[in-house]
Amino acid sequence: MATHRKARTALLSAPGPRAAVGLTTAALATVTLLGETASAAPAPGKPAPQPSIAEVKAKVDALMHQAEVATENYNGVKELTDQQNSKVNELLTQAAQKTQALNDARRVLGQYAAAQYRSGGDDTTSRYLLSDDPQQLVDQAHLTDVLSKRQRQAVETYRVRQAAATQQRIEAAKSLAALTARQAQLKSAKAAVQTKLGQAQHLLNSLNAQEKQRLARLRAQQEAEAKARAAALAARIAAKEKAAQEAAAKAAKAAAARTTATAGTTATTSTTSTTSASTASTAAEKAIAFARDQIGKPYVWGATGPDSFDCSGLTQAAYKAAGIDLPRTTYDQVDAGTRVAESDLRPGDLIFFYSDVSHVGLYIGNGEMIHAPHTGTVVKIAPITEMPFYGAVRPY
């Protein structure tokens, strides 16, 4: 009689805990924390491959960008909150003043009421009939009439001031409610910034020393590539500017050959144009000089100086030093001047990045800018090609 034995199932094909343990052990033995992703699809039950260093950097950069978007939103809300707070203080001061005026009117009205009570009211007819001196009574009646008019004026003054005080209190209450709503928005915007920064920092903290070195090398490589692109852009800008200067010189030479009257007019126009360009150049130079003095100071979101800056806080402060007031946020600064093409950039122009206009830098020439990048960095010089270009503005 034959012995029937049940066939053994292969270890790796058998379902259940033992197979799971075997797969997990194999995965941990062959996959590092941030190893490069294999081209083949992972086997069922195998842990998902860890992201590559390039993927980690892309994720961190995306979170930093989102944090900057949230920062500009915060800056806008904070500006509105500060304005609303000033309005509330002004309305409360006006309400207090109107309340004091109302109290003064009430006091005068009370004095008239007390005087009338003490005199027993107006009994002009009886006093006229019983008076020994009718002329004196006429004089008294005239005085009474004057006092009555003053009483009516006091009543009217009280009524007007009461209405004004009531309206002022209503406006102050509405403004306070608006301020409370702004403060809630400000709190939410602040939380959004902190959340994105926290996520980015958590991701960076998960890297070991070797992975951080690889990340640093990748960043250095990308920065070098951005510098090369910036140099090429600067060369194109310089070539275009040279061509424009040569064309202007040629036009000036042709104008000099015209009649004396025409030449005189041209000279006057040229002088005016040169003066205007000189003034603009001075403003740009002052803004750039201020920005250079801030190099090395830390980026702090929401900061406008003097010890730290965010991107729009730096550009706002730089042009304030040049006597030009810029709005607070990138969203408003992008409309504060004349739009210029990337190929027409001049030192002093504001350069904006990303389709959401969430970052700004100050162009200094040679394809470079001074900007405050993001949390964990400092104000520095960088190539303008390291971020996607949105547009440029000449604010002078």
Side-chain angles (χ1 to χ4, degrees):
M1 182 173 178
T3 301
H4 298 282
R5 298 177 62 185
K6 188 174 182 181
R8 287 184 66 184
T9 307
L11 176 62
L12 293 181
S13 62
R18 187 175 182 181
V21 170
L23 286 171
T24 303
T25 303
L28 292 176
T30 58
V31 180
T32 61
L33 176 62
L34 289 175
E36 298 299 328
T37 304
S39 58
K46 188 176 181 179
Q50 296 294 332
S52 68
I53 289 296
E55 290 170 337
V56 170
K57 182 181 183 301
K59 180 63 175 176
V60 170
D61 290 346
L63 287 169
M64 287 298 185
H65 174 222
Q66 293 167 13
E68 195 155 33
V69 172
T71 295
E72 289 304 310
N73 290 334
Y74 169 86
N75 291 339
V77 174
K78 186 176 186 303
E79 185 176 38
L80 292 174
T81 301
D82 291 343
Q83 292 172 358
Q84 191 66 42
N85 188 51
S86 297
K87 182 178 180 180
V88 166
N89 290 335
E90 182 180 354
L91 287 172
L92 289 176
T93 299
Q94 292 175 358
Q97 292 172 345
K98 284 182 168 45
T99 299
Q100 181 59 47
L102 176 64
N103 290 336
D104 292 341
R106 183 184 291 114
R107 188 177 304 107
V108 171
L109 198 60
Q111 291 172 351
Y112 279 121
Q116 189 173 12
Y117 175 79
R118 287 193 299 269
S119 66
D122 185 11
D123 191 16
T124 306
T125 303
S126 299
R127 286 187 286 113
Y128 179 79
L129 293 174
L130 299 175
S131 176
D132 296 331
D133 187 350
Q135 183 57 46
Q136 183 181 11
L137 183 60
V138 169
D139 294 339
Q140 290 177 352
H142 175 70
L143 178 60
T144 300
D145 183 58
V146 170
L147 293 176
S148 296
K149 289 180 180 179
R150 291 180 179 177
Q151 289 176 0
R152 288 195 296 271
Q153 182 61 44
V155 171
E156 180 63 18
T157 299
Y158 175 80
R159 186 191 67 77
V160 170
R161 290 181 178 177
Q162 184 182 43
T166 300
Q167 183 61 33
Q168 199 69 43
R169 284 194 293 268
I170 292 173
E171 291 179 10
K174 289 181 178 179
S175 191
L176 277 171
L179 176 60
T180 301
R182 293 290 186 198
Q183 289 172 335
Q185 292 176 354
L186 188 64
K187 183 178 180 180
S188 177
K190 182 177 181 179
V193 176
Q194 293 172 330
T195 297
K196 297 300 180 183
L197 292 177
Q199 291 174 348
Q201 191 59 53
H202 177 74
L203 191 56
L204 290 172
N205 291 343
S206 70
L207 302 178
N208 59 36
Q210 184 180 5
E211 291 159 352
K212 289 178 180 178
Q213 290 177 357
R214 292 168 59 194
L215 178 60
R217 287 196 297 271
L218 179 59
R219 283 175 171 166
Q221 176 187 340
Q222 292 180 345
E223 287 175 3
E225 293 171 351
K227 286 181 180 179
R229 293 194 301 271
L233 174 61
R236 292 195 299 270
I237 293 174
K240 185 175 180 179
E241 186 175 353
K242 182 180 179 181
Q245 290 174 348
E246 290 175 349
K250 185 177 180 180
K253 186 176 180 180
R258 296 173 187 172
T259 62
T260 304
T262 304
T265 303
T266 303
T268 303
T269 303
S270 177
T271 301
T272 303
S273 177
T274 302
T275 302
S276 177
S278 177
T279 302
S281 177
T282 300
E285 289 171 358
K286 287 182 179 179
I288 292 174
F290 176 91
R292 286 188 184 280
D293 288 341
Q294 314 314 311
I295 291 176
K297 292 184 178 180
Y299 174 101
V300 174
W301 62 272
T304 57
D307 300 320
S308 57
F309 298 88
D310 64 16
C311 68
S312 55
L314 176 64
T315 50
Q316 183 188 46
Y319 265 102
K320 185 175 182 180
I324 296 175
D325 291 329
L326 292 181
R328 176 63 183 92
T329 69
T330 56
Y331 311 130
D332 293 324
Q333 287 183 11
V334 74
D335 295 322
T338 304
R339 286 291 185 93
V340 294
E342 187 178 31
S343 59
D344 294 325
L345 287 173
R346 294 179 189 169
D349 290 345
L350 299 178
I351 311 176
F352 299 87
F353 302 92
Y354 301 104
S355 59
D356 52 19
V357 201
S358 57
H359 190 75
V360 62
L362 181 65
Y363 187 63
I364 60 173
N366 296 322
E368 295 181 321
M369 64 179 172
I370 297 176
H371 74 142
H374 54 73
T375 296
T377 61
V378 297
V379 175
K380 64 178 184 178
I381 297 175
I384 67 172
T385 50
E386 66 180 14
M387 290 174 284
F389 178 83
Y390 173 83
V393 165
R394 192 161 295 150
Y396 50 83

